């Protein structure tokens, strides 16, 4: 058998790329591949086939260069083509490709990564539970939170409060915790014990309050919900520091401090979902650092490996972890790929690059302000009602008339029109209704920022023309 395998001609993926045309790939894709968040009847045979990438650019199967203004899916923080990460994965796969973390087992990369995560997170965190994705991290967080209150002698404290229009993944638990109506309408019933309060979305409010007053007003709904449900039934509040898939909703400065005050006052756990905001996206290691709050738990994924391999996790404070360890016995939860050695090896190297190349501070002090200034210039366009950005994560609102709360009649038409023009002009951005969002790799250069904003302006012109029709 070994002799046969040795003589069998090995074919790389590149040989398959050469064998098939764009239409071949699209036909096979349509025939066999069920995509996430896709209307397959609308997809037909027109999927975009991305074949390679380098730096901040991806290239389709025909070689067209596209500036990736979304870092893949909010995740490729150090950019594409970093051989250090592929070499870290290959080295670990050759040494120990896999072993489980169940039954008192571990591997060197999972331990070393836990040590590094301890060093870059706030001092209350001393433990990490590994998962394979952000959705799994959310599921894990729910189980940890509820288990904590069980071992603390409060088994009725199970209800978790989240926000409307929040995104926390697409598992049953993630969909339930998230506050997106379209997702709630599919695949019910949802997980019980979840409540929602309003999001701090000042632009889409009636704007009768100043942003600071609005932030406190929206945050006060958490207190109202706690009193409505009863503090003896409330386990935690969870929120993205900045809502990503909801449209890059940046809360007023008054919002998170008030959330912290309420959680502290009623003794409930506070959780920040850092799946998008973590690992430098906002110019700090984590969103909690940017808003200067101290959560009891943090979920993470995406940027921990810059998307090169799947990995997620939950950072757990000493208060929570010590209670579960000292009083809880076996925690009956885990995944086959928890602490996967190759994923952890890639994460270690990714964190090293973020640190040694000063990409977090560069985002805060250099390239972030540069993009923010250029992004702000888009407000001069007739159909842009607002731009906003923190670090390298921003949004712009498309409107039919400036200085008016009015939106386009068919919400999302303008956004999708812009998105389609963008792709056709070599730029990836995302439409959330009529909100255009961007989140480019942290390694983006000033010249590439200029290209992104110039192309965005051209697409705004095309969108305005199309919406006028």
């Amino acid at each position: 058998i070994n002799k046969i395998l040795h003589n069998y001609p090995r074919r790389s993926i590149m040989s398959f790329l050469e064998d098939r045309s764009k239409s071949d790939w699209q036909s096979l894709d349509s025939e066999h591949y069920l995509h996430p968040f896709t209307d397959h009847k609308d997809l037909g045979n027109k999927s975009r086939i991305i074949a390679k990438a380098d730096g901040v650019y991806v290239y389709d199967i025909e070689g067209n260069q596209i500036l990736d203004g979304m870092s893949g899916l909010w995740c490729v923080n150090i950019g594409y083509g970093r051989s250090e990460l592929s070499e870290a994965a290959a080295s670990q796969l050759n040494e120990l490709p896999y072993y489980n973390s169940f039954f008192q087992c571990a591997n060197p990369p999972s331990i070393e990564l836990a040590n590094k995560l301890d060093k870059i997170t706030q001092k209350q965190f001393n433990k990490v539970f590994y998962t394979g994705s952000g959705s799994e991290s959310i599921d894990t967080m729910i189980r940890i939170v509820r288990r904590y209150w069980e071992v603390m002698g409060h088994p009725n404290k199970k209800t978790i409060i989240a926000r409307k229009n929040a995104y926390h993944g697409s598992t049953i638990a993630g969909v339930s915790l998230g506050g997106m109506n379209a997702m709630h309408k599919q695949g019910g019933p949802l997980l019980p014990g979840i409540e929602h309060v309003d999001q701090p979305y000042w632009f889409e409010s009636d704007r009768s309050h100043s942003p600071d007053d609005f932030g406190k007003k929206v945050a006060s709904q958490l207190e109202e919900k706690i009193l409505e449900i009863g503090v003896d039934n409330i386990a935690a509040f969870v929120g993205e520091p900045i809502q990503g898939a909801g449209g890059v909703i940046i809360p007023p400065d008054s919002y998170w401090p008030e959330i912290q005050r309420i959680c502290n006052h009623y003794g409930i756990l506070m959780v920040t979902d850092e799946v998008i905001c973590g690992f430098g996206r906002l110019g700090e290691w984590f969103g909690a650092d940017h808003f200067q709050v101290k959560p009891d738990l943090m979920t993470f994924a995406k940027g921990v490996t810059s998307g090169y391999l799947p990995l997620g996790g939950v950072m757990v404070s000493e208060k929570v972890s010590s209670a579960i360890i000292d009083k809880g016995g076996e925690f009956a939860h885990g995944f086959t790929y928890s602490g996967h050695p190759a994923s952890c090896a890639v994460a270690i190297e990714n964190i090293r690059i973020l640190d040694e190349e000063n990409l977090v501070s560069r985002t805060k002090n250099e390239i972030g302000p540069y993009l923010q200034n250029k992004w702000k210039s888009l407000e001069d366009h007739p159909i842009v009602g607002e731009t906003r950005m923190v670090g390298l994560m921003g949004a712009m609102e498309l409107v039919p008339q400036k200085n008016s709360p009015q939106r386009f009649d068919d919400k999302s038409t303008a956004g999708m029109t812009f998105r389609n023009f963008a792709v056709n002009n070599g730029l990836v951005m995302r439409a959330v209704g009529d909100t255009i969002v961007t989140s480019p790799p942290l390694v983006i250069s000033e010249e590439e920022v200029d290209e992104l904003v110039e192309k965005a302006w051209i697409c705004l012109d095309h969108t305005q023309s199309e919406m006028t029709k």
Side-chain angles (χ1 to χ4, degrees):
I1 291 174
N2 286 335
K3 191 177 292 184
I4 293 171
L5 291 175
H6 179 75
N7 293 327
Y8 190 83
R10 297 184 180 181
R11 303 183 68 199
S12 70
I13 186 63
M14 293 308 296
S15 67
F16 290 118
L17 293 179
E18 294 165 1
D19 286 350
R20 295 190 175 118
S21 66
K22 175 183 175 180
S23 60
D24 291 336
W25 285 112
Q26 289 175 323
S27 178
L28 286 170
D29 178 58
S30 178
E31 191 172 346
H32 300 295
Y33 191 178
L34 285 173
H35 292 247
F37 288 90
T38 296
D39 181 341
H40 286 81
K41 186 179 288 186
D42 180 61
L43 177 65
N45 286 351
K46 57 186 181 184
S47 54
R48 294 191 301 278
I49 312 298
I50 305 302
K52 65 177 185 176
D54 185 59
V56 301
Y57 296 99
V58 295
Y59 299 83
D60 67 19
I61 198 71
E62 295 180 312
N64 296 308
Q65 178 177 282
I66 306 166
L67 198 164
D68 185 3
M70 286 306 303
S71 298
L73 204 58
W74 316 87
C75 56
V76 189
N77 286 8
I78 68 167
Y80 298 97
R82 297 301 296 253
S83 60
E84 303 99 312
L85 298 197
S86 57
E87 288 167 4
S91 177
Q92 184 57 49
L93 288 168
N94 286 327
E95 183 73 20
L96 175 69
Y98 169 77
Y99 199 73
N100 72 79
S101 294
F102 287 40
F103 318 126
Q104 302 180 336
C105 292
N107 60 74
S110 65
I111 299 169
E112 180 61 26
L113 176 59
N115 180 51
K116 288 192 177 296
L117 290 169
D118 176 72
K119 287 178 168 53
I120 64 172
T121 56
Q122 296 175 2
K123 64 181 180 179
Q124 71 270 25
F125 294 113
N126 71 335
K127 294 286 192 296
V128 60
F129 192 104
Y130 291 121
T131 71
S133 69
S135 293
E136 288 182 4
S137 298
I138 288 294
D139 286 35
T140 299
M141 177 275 295
I142 292 173
R143 295 212 61 201
I144 291 174
V145 164
R146 289 179 173 174
R147 183 59 179 156
Y148 168 77
W149 289 115
E150 287 171 358
V151 303
M152 293 297 289
H154 300 284
N156 292 331
K157 290 176 77 69
K158 295 189 183 298
T159 299
I160 300 176
I161 300 173
R163 298 183 298 204
K164 299 172 185 176
N165 197 40
Y167 183 82
H168 295 293
S170 58
T171 57
I172 289 294
V175 169
S176 303
L177 197 64
M180 295 190 165
N181 292 332
M183 298 178 74
H184 284 185
K185 291 175 182 178
Q186 298 182 10
L190 300 175
L191 194 70
I194 305 292
E195 297 286 337
H196 294 91
V197 293
D198 284 342
Q199 60 183 337
Y201 193 178
W202 182 82
F203 184 81
E204 204 162 67
S205 72
D206 61 14
R207 306 178 211 168
S208 60
H209 296 83
S210 70
D212 271 356
D213 287 345
F214 176 75
K216 291 178 182 178
K217 180 174 183 290
V218 175
S220 71
Q221 291 187 19
L222 172 59
E223 187 166 33
E224 294 168 8
K225 185 63 71 173
I226 291 170
L227 296 175
E228 175 192 334
I229 305 297
V231 67
D232 291 340
N233 299 313
I234 304 297
F237 170 82
V238 59
E240 304 158 83
I242 293 175
Q243 289 162 251
V248 185
I249 310 303
I250 301 173
D253 291 341
S254 60
Y255 177 80
W256 272 110
E258 183 66 6
I259 292 291
Q260 178 91 74
R261 184 196 68 78
I262 293 167
C263 290
N264 291 349
H265 178 75
Y266 290 98
I268 68 171
L269 299 177
M270 189 174 81
V271 184
T272 55
D273 181 352
E274 304 274 0
V275 169
I276 289 175
C277 295
F279 300 96
R281 176 56 52 190
L282 305 185
E284 302 284 353
W285 276 105
F286 295 93
D289 303 328
H290 173 79
F291 289 105
Q292 298 183 345
V293 293
K294 296 188 179 302
D296 298 288
L297 299 98
M298 295 194 311
T299 54
F300 67 86
K302 293 187 185 292
V304 66
T305 64
S306 285
Y308 279 56
L309 282 180
L311 182 68
V314 183
M315 295 304 301
V316 185
S317 66
E318 185 173 5
K319 176 179 80 170
V320 175
S321 66
S322 61
I324 292 175
I325 291 168
D326 295 342
K327 302 178 181 182
E330 179 181 333
F331 182 42
H333 177 74
F335 304 98
T336 300
Y337 302 111
S338 291
H340 191 283
S343 294
C344 290
V346 167
I348 292 166
E349 185 64 12
N350 182 64
I351 291 171
R352 182 194 68 78
I353 291 171
L354 285 168
D355 185 33
E356 292 188 4
E357 296 185 7
N358 298 313
L359 293 179
V360 180
S361 62
R362 177 180 185 265
T363 297
K364 181 177 183 177
N365 300 316
E366 299 172 33
I367 198 64
Y370 186 83
L371 176 55
Q372 292 158 26
N373 182 56
K374 294 286 185 175
W375 192 249
K376 182 76 173 175
S377 71
L378 295 173
E379 285 187 4
D380 293 337
H381 198 280
I383 65 167
V384 175
E386 179 187 75
T387 62
R388 52 183 180 266
M389 183 172 286
V390 173
L392 289 177
M393 182 178 180
M396 64 177 169
E397 302 282 1
L398 304 186
V399 296
Q401 183 178 347
K402 282 185 176 293
N403 304 316
S404 167
Q406 181 185 354
R407 307 301 291 262
F408 286 101
D409 292 338
D410 186 1
K411 189 177 180 183
S412 82
T413 300
M416 292 302 290
T417 299
F418 177 95
R419 190 200 72 168
N420 293 336
F421 278 126
V423 171
N424 291 333
N425 282 276
L427 174 64
V428 172
M429 283 202 217
R430 183 168 172 177
V432 180
D434 284 340
T435 305
I436 304 302
V437 301
T438 190
S439 181
L442 308 188
V443 296
I444 192 169
S445 68
E446 291 185 359
E447 292 77 16
E448 290 159 347
V449 163
D450 294 344
E451 178 187 348
L452 185 153
V453 174
E454 287 166 10
K455 287 183 173 179
W457 188 280
I458 291 169
C459 295
L460 286 169
D461 285 343
H462 289 320
T463 302
Q464 180 184 21
S465 177
E466 190 67 22
M467 296 306 294
T468 300
K469 293 178 187 177

